[in-house]
Structures are given as C-alpha cells and as structure tokens.
Amino acid sequence: MRAALRYTAFAALGCAALIGLAVIYFIARAPDPVLATLDDRPPNVTVLAADGTVLAERGLRRGHVKLNVLPPYLVNAVFATEDRRFFSHFGIDPLGLVRASFRNAQEGAVVEGGSTVTQQLAKNLFLRPERTFTRKLEEVIYALWLERRFTKDEILELYLNRVYFGGGTYGIEAAARRYFGRSARFVTLPQAALLAGLLKAPSRYAPTRSAKLASTRVAEVLDNMVEAGFLTEAEAAAARKLPLGLSAKDDDTGFPYAVDWVAELLPEFVGNHQNELIVETTIDPSLQRASQQALRRLLQTEGGKANAGEGAVVVLDPYGAVKALVGGRSYVSSPFDRALKALRQPGSAFKPFVYLAALESGYRPDSMAYDGPTTIAGWSPRNYTGAYQGEVTLRDSLAHSLNTVSARLTADVGAWRVVRAARRLGIQSPLHENPSIALGTAEVTLLELTSAYAPFANGGHGVLPHLITRVRDSEGKVLYKRRRITTGQVVALGYVGAMNDMLNATIVRGTGKRAAFPGHIAAGKTGTTQGSRDAWFVGYTAHYVAGVWIGNDDATRMKKVTGGTLPAKLWHDVMLHAHQDKDPQSLPGTRGRTLPDAIARLPWNPNQTRREGSGRQIFQRVLGFFSGN
C-alpha cells in the first residue's frame, strides 16, 4: 500500500515537473505580447483614386485604442458574445468548457467554443492556426501567463486592438472606420453588436461579404446581451430598428473590384514590403460609381425579362489607364471579377481584327465583298438574321456584322494574319487559327478586348491596361512609378483612320445604333455568341475606350439579347456620364473627310476587291509613305 502511494507521489511529482518544464519552455519562447500586437499582419494599404480621394484601405492597423474610451455597450457586446465569465475566470473557464460541450452535444455540431478571450489573445499573439493537442496545451499555458502578467482590462484592450474583424481590418478601430466611417469611440449600439458578432467568424459575417448575414448576426448579439443582463428586451428591440449606417458603399461603387486588383499587383511591384503603403491609381471615382450603378440598374430593370443576370464594364483612357472597372452587378454577392478574369467568346466584337488584317492585305473600306452562302473547310457560317445582302462594301458589312463576309475575308488573308493583328493590338489569351476565328470563337477577357481597341482611339499606339501609377510608403519614399506609356506604333495611322471610318458606321447606321450619344463621334462593335450566351459592346471616342459584357455566370442563354441591345444601351449610359465635361473631338485619321489622306493616297486601285501584292509588300508601302520614301 505504502509502495503504491510512493509510486503515485513520484508520478505526480514527475508530471508536475514535466508541466513546469513545459511552461518554462513555452514562456521562454514567447515574445513580449505588447511588442507582438502589430507583428505578422499585412501592412496598411491606402488605395487612392486619380483625384486623391481614398478608394479603400486594406490590411488596416489603426492606432491602439484605450479600453476606457470605448462605449460600455461595445465592451458588453463582446462579453455577452465571446466570454461572459471573463472577470471571474483565471484565463481558462472550466464552466464555459462544460457549457459549450453540453450545447455542442445537443446540437450535434460545434456551435459554441469554450475558449476564453485570454485564450483567443494567446492564440492570436503566439500561435499558428493548427488544431493539435500540443497547440492547445501551448494556448492554455500562454493564457495562464497572460493572466498573471496583465490586468483583465489590459488583456481585453490587447485583444480588441489585435484581432481580425474581416474586410482586411485588424483591430476595433480599423473595423469601425472600415464599416461605418467613424471611430470605435462613437459607434452606435447596433454597430457595436455587429463588431462583436464578427469575432466568431469575420469572413462569414462581414457586411462587405453578406449584408443579410451581418444583420442576422446583429440580432443574435443583441439577444445575447439581453440574456446576459446587459440590455432590456425593450432596448434590444429599439436597437434592432436602428439602421446600421454602413459607410462602405461597396455594392454601389464597385471600388473593391479595382482594389482587389491592386492587392494582386502589389507584391509584383514592391515585393514583401512591411511598411505602410499608399497606392495611387488611375480610377475616376465618379465614373466608377456611375458605371457600377448603371450596370445594376439595367440588370434590375431589363435583365430579369431577358434572363440576363450578370455583367461587367471597363473604361480606359486612350492610353490604357483604367478609369472604371466593374467586375459584376454586386461585389457583396460575388467578388469574382468578370472584367478581369472571365474568359468568354467575344463573337463579332472580334471582327475589327479581321477587317484590320484585310486592310493591311490590300482591301479598303469601299472595297466590294459578297454576302451569300459560303462553305470554308466544311464550315458554313450564317448571318444572325439568316438573310443575305449580296454585293456590299466592307464598311457596310462590318456595320451590319455580316458573318459570311468576315469568314471570306479571313479565308482570303489567312487566319494567321487575323491572329497576328489581334496579338499586335493586345490580345494575350490563346487564339486558334481555325476559320471560325473570323466570328470570335476564341475566348478573351473584357479588359484585354477593350484595351485592344485603344489603338484605334489613340492613333495606332499599343497600350498596356494599367491601374497603378505610383506606390509610396508613409515616409514618402517612392517604391514604384509607372513610366511606360505605350508598346509603340502597332497600326499605321492610315489604317487607324479606315478602321475608325468603318466602326463609326456601325454606330451611325449599323448594329450599334443604340450606343450613339449626342455631341461626340464614336465608333465600336457589337458582339453576340451562339444562343445569346454572351453579348458585348466595345467602342470608343477620342476621350475614352469602353467595353461592356452582359451574360450569365453559368453560360445559360439569354432571351433575344444581342450586343446591339442591352450592352449597347449600357455602353451609351456609361459613356454619356463620362463625357459630361468633354469637348467633341474627331477620331484619329478621320478629320474632315470620310477616309484619311494616308489611305486615299496609297497606290491602290480604288475598284479592287482583292488585295494587291502580299501583306509584307503592302506594309512596306505604308512604311515608305510615312517615312517620306
């Protein structure tokens, strides 16, 4: 008996010694929690519009806020939701663990955690998000140590200034400013409930992710406060009726689509930089907001009847600066950027590259072509209307988007020339050289297709679509500055003028008539894929280049939607807003005449319908003309 007691005592002493050594080991590895409060978090990134206004702030690390300046109901909301026995436990709450285990067993799932605020702070300061026994032991030891080193108020203050609140924000002050545009010192009761409710699952309940879930979570936290005795039922009911007052109008502005792109580009531009960053962009906030709202308005009013559920808009200046980038009807419901990342068939919106290749091979806008039944390598393209017009000029065939003419031109000049022209103007997505490339059967993004039209608007210079102009740190040191403007002359000015002449006819009397807006000369092209799965309009003036896509994420068919209907109407609305303060200007190469002087003076037979000489010979003639030889 005595031997058994001795062995038990030795075993207890051994366990105590091991636990003691473990405590010493883990605490020796722990950094100072005060110094650690801002470590391991991404730098604060402030994204500015072209006019200097703040578009967004990401990875926020606002100043440390003292606990005694926060509204009592904000602190109580945290207690009621996260740790009601905070002031009575010693860092670990056995009763809380029992209660959580009992409730989880009742629900058959994990609906309540047993970790205290101190444990959560310990995990946040020192540990990785691993679910292992060793990590849990470390969490307990660090929690006990924090309780001995700091007062309860200090622990809670560290916690509220450290934890993640969703939306790229760390700390209570950052979250309050992100969601409500005000300091945490001045949040209302429902706003306090929202902030406290985010602690359980910030990515799920953040209002930028789901306004509905956020509102539901506010009601849950108010109920918790009533249950914990911090509010009366009447006070909670009154708080439920108050508006949340969200200041981040992400759904209305579309700013987050552009800001997400900034976040993707930053590592490439500045590397792993740990200081606060200020990013200057090309975004026009007024145009961005108008574009987002115009898309939503169109889909809400006409999209339902037409079974059109999504869309995207891109607006550039003629040299590729992104002035507006709308990736969808609602960032809150879907942050996927359809302008930047969705690959879709452009349909007839690809035809300008076919006609440019034809011009460079010897054709002219007034050259005659035949619109009629045709078969090319076993493929028989048909016009959208099913009718044929017989002899037509290239100008009219492009204006009315005649598929058979585009197919014949591609067969004549070679699909490889069409692909080469598209590549030269900026299409980077994979392109095939099958005959059907004439009708835009290779997939592209809206951004790259829009930027590929920019040379027609700027006199033939290739562009690289860009969003960031400069990045500097908080001390003013410039870490990145954009210098390259264009990729050089990719289309001779004479051909630019001819293309502008033809694409202007598309808006004046062709399939894009709904895109026309008063006071400005515009050019562009409609595009519709088979079964009306995708509808496009891409066009430009001397001031802006804009592209619009309408469709559905699952590629379901729309009802009678073509590029000349909803997309052209949306393009009209966006460009009308964009040109409010702009003076009318001619398109490059078209001033004062239908065809530019350069095209009119090239030594071609005006009656020819076939190319004269090879593409290389024609290109050499153009170079000779512009060089004066």
Side-chain angles (χ1 to χ4, degrees):
M1 183 70 175
R2 289 181 180 178
L5 289 173
R6 246 191 333 265
Y7 289 139
T8 302
F10 282 138
L13 286 172
C15 289
L18 287 174
I19 292 173
L21 288 172
V23 170
I24 294 171
Y25 170 73
F26 288 132
I27 290 178
R29 295 172 56 203
D32 188 308
V34 176
L35 297 177
T37 54
L38 294 181
D39 289 346
D40 302 325
R41 286 183 284 170
N44 181 43
V45 177
T46 302
V47 182
L48 304 179
D51 62 2
T53 59
V54 176
L55 291 180
E57 294 172 296
R58 292 287 177 90
L60 292 175
R61 301 191 302 198
R62 291 286 185 183
H64 193 94
V65 180
K66 292 291 184 182
L67 189 66
N68 58 10
V69 303
L70 296 175
Y73 48 75
L74 173 54
V75 177
N76 290 338
V78 174
F79 288 151
T81 305
E82 293 297 305
D83 191 353
R84 296 183 190 179
R85 290 171 41 81
F86 177 70
F87 283 102
S88 60
H89 62 63
F90 50 89
I92 303 164
D93 184 8
L95 292 179
L97 285 170
V98 172
R99 182 182 64 250
S101 299
F102 181 72
R103 186 176 177 196
N104 292 339
Q106 280 186 318
E107 299 291 337
V110 179
V111 296
E112 183 176 329
S115 294
T116 65
V117 162
T118 312
Q119 286 176 269
Q120 292 179 52
L121 176 61
K123 177 172 60 178
N124 199 287
L125 287 176
F126 308 126
L127 303 173
R128 295 179 180 178
E130 301 169 349
R131 296 196 172 190
T132 64
F133 177 78
T134 303
R135 195 208 60 81
K136 196 66 179 177
L137 177 60
E138 289 181 278
E139 178 186 303
V140 169
I141 292 171
Y142 287 142
L144 295 173
W145 178 56
L146 287 170
E147 288 279 343
R148 289 189 59 83
R149 177 158 186 180
F150 296 100
T151 66
K152 288 286 188 179
D153 284 351
E154 289 172 334
I155 289 172
L156 183 60
E157 187 176 303
L158 276 174
Y159 174 71
L160 291 177
N161 281 281
R162 169 73 192 198
V163 294
Y164 183 58
F165 281 88
T169 60
Y170 294 82
I172 195 78
E173 180 70 3
R177 291 186 181 276
R178 170 78 169 98
Y179 299 128
F180 313 120
R182 61 175 61 182
S183 170
R185 299 172 176 84
F186 308 116
V187 295
T188 64
L189 176 54
Q191 290 172 344
L194 173 60
L195 293 172
L198 289 173
L199 295 170
K200 179 179 180 180
S203 297
R204 174 178 170 79
Y205 294 121
T208 51
R209 174 63 63 181
S210 172
K212 182 177 180 180
L213 284 176
S215 297
T216 301
R217 186 61 175 155
V218 167
E220 291 174 357
V221 172
L222 292 172
D223 289 341
N224 289 342
M225 295 179 73
V226 172
E227 186 180 316
F230 294 124
L231 290 178
T232 65
E233 185 57 56
E235 290 171 331
R240 292 188 193 97
K241 297 178 182 179
L242 294 175
L244 273 177
L246 295 171
S247 69
K249 304 297 185 182
D250 293 343
D251 227 20
D252 295 328
T253 64
F255 292 159
Y257 290 112
V259 174
D260 282 354
W261 191 17
V262 168
E264 289 181 18
L265 294 172
L266 271 182
E268 177 185 343
F269 289 173
V270 300
N272 187 22
H273 205 278
Q274 295 301 314
N275 294 336
E276 186 166 333
L277 301 176
I278 300 169
V279 183
E280 300 171 14
T281 74
T282 57
I283 291 292
D284 178 337
S286 174
L287 183 54
Q288 173 73 40
R289 188 179 294 108
S291 301
Q292 178 72 70
Q293 293 172 352
L295 172 62
R296 175 180 295 180
R297 185 168 57 248
L298 180 76
L299 293 177
Q300 287 177 340
T301 56
E302 300 182 49
K305 294 181 293 183
N307 192 36
E310 268 298 351
V313 180
V314 170
V315 183
L316 313 174
D317 76 7
Y319 290 93
V322 178
K323 311 308 290 185
L325 180 76
V326 179
R329 69 187 295 168
S330 167
Y331 181 87
V332 168
S333 61
S334 174
F336 177 69
D337 193 332
R338 296 156 187 83
L340 190 64
K341 298 179 179 179
L343 287 165
R344 300 274 183 167
Q345 290 186 3
S348 294
F350 191 83
K351 287 178 181 176
F353 310 122
V354 173
Y355 282 75
L356 175 60
L359 291 176
E360 293 176 338
S361 297
Y363 285 90
R364 295 178 56 176
D366 289 323
S367 294
M368 300 303 294
Y370 180 72
D371 174 32
T374 186
T375 299
I376 301 168
W379 172 56
S380 301
R382 298 175 55 194
N383 292 330
Y384 178 77
T385 62
Y388 301 102
Q389 298 186 21
E391 291 285 327
V392 292
T393 63
L394 260 61
R395 181 186 296 106
D396 286 340
S397 68
L398 182 58
H400 295 288
S401 201
L402 303 180
N403 290 340
T404 62
V405 174
S406 182
R408 287 174 185 269
L409 287 174
T410 300
D412 185 30
V413 305
W416 66 271
R417 278 199 176 94
V418 173
V419 170
R420 187 177 66 177
R423 285 260 179 265
R424 198 168 71 240
L425 270 65
I427 300 296
Q428 298 180 358
S429 295
L431 298 175
H432 61 77
E433 295 184 5
N434 299 326
S436 64
I437 193 68
L439 306 187
T441 55
E443 295 181 333
V444 298
T445 68
L446 177 61
L447 179 64
E448 68 178 327
L449 183 62
T450 305
S451 65
Y453 276 59
F456 303 138
N458 67 30
H461 299 279
V463 306
L464 296 171
H466 58 278
L467 181 67
I468 298 175
T469 56
R470 189 168 69 153
V471 181
R472 51 191 168 90
D473 62 19
S474 56
E475 297 177 355
K477 181 181 179 182
V478 177
L479 306 174
Y480 167 82
K481 185 175 182 180
R482 181 173 180 80
R483 290 183 173 85
R484 191 175 185 184
I485 302 300
T486 74
T487 61
Q489 190 85 19
V490 296
V491 184
L493 183 59
Y495 299 131
V496 170
M499 289 301 303
N500 287 338
D501 169 64
M502 292 192 290
L503 290 171
N504 172 250
T506 302
I507 289 181
V508 172
R509 61 177 183 273
T511 57
K513 287 186 288 187
R514 294 189 187 184
F517 59 100
H520 292 271
I521 300 171
K525 186 68 189 76
T526 56
T528 311
T529 60
Q530 191 172 17
S532 292
R533 290 181 171 84
D534 301 283
W536 308 69
F537 191 88
V538 184
Y540 51 92
T541 65
H543 297 289
Y544 292 106
V545 186
V548 168
W549 167 81
I550 299 291
N552 292 297
D553 287 336
D554 59 1
T556 55
R557 297 188 177 198
M558 296 178 287
K559 298 177 181 177
K560 298 182 179 180
V561 176
T562 66
T565 58
L566 298 187
K569 182 176 182 179
L570 177 57
W571 190 91
H572 165 276
D573 294 345
V574 170
M575 292 293 264
L576 189 63
H577 178 90
H579 287 78
Q580 289 179 108
D581 59 346
K582 303 297 182 184
D583 294 326
Q585 291 185 16
S586 299
L587 294 173
T590 63
R591 186 185 299 275
R593 59 186 67 231
T594 302
L595 288 177
D597 292 338
I599 281 288
R601 291 170 57 189
L602 285 175
W604 296 335
N605 181 349
N607 296 318
Q608 70 183 25
T609 59
R610 303 284 297 174
R611 65 187 185 279
E612 182 181 7
S614 69
R616 180 179 297 275
Q617 290 172 326
I618 299 301
F619 186 63
Q620 288 173 342
R621 292 181 185 179
V622 174
L623 288 179
F625 174 82
F626 283 105
S627 64
N629 295 329

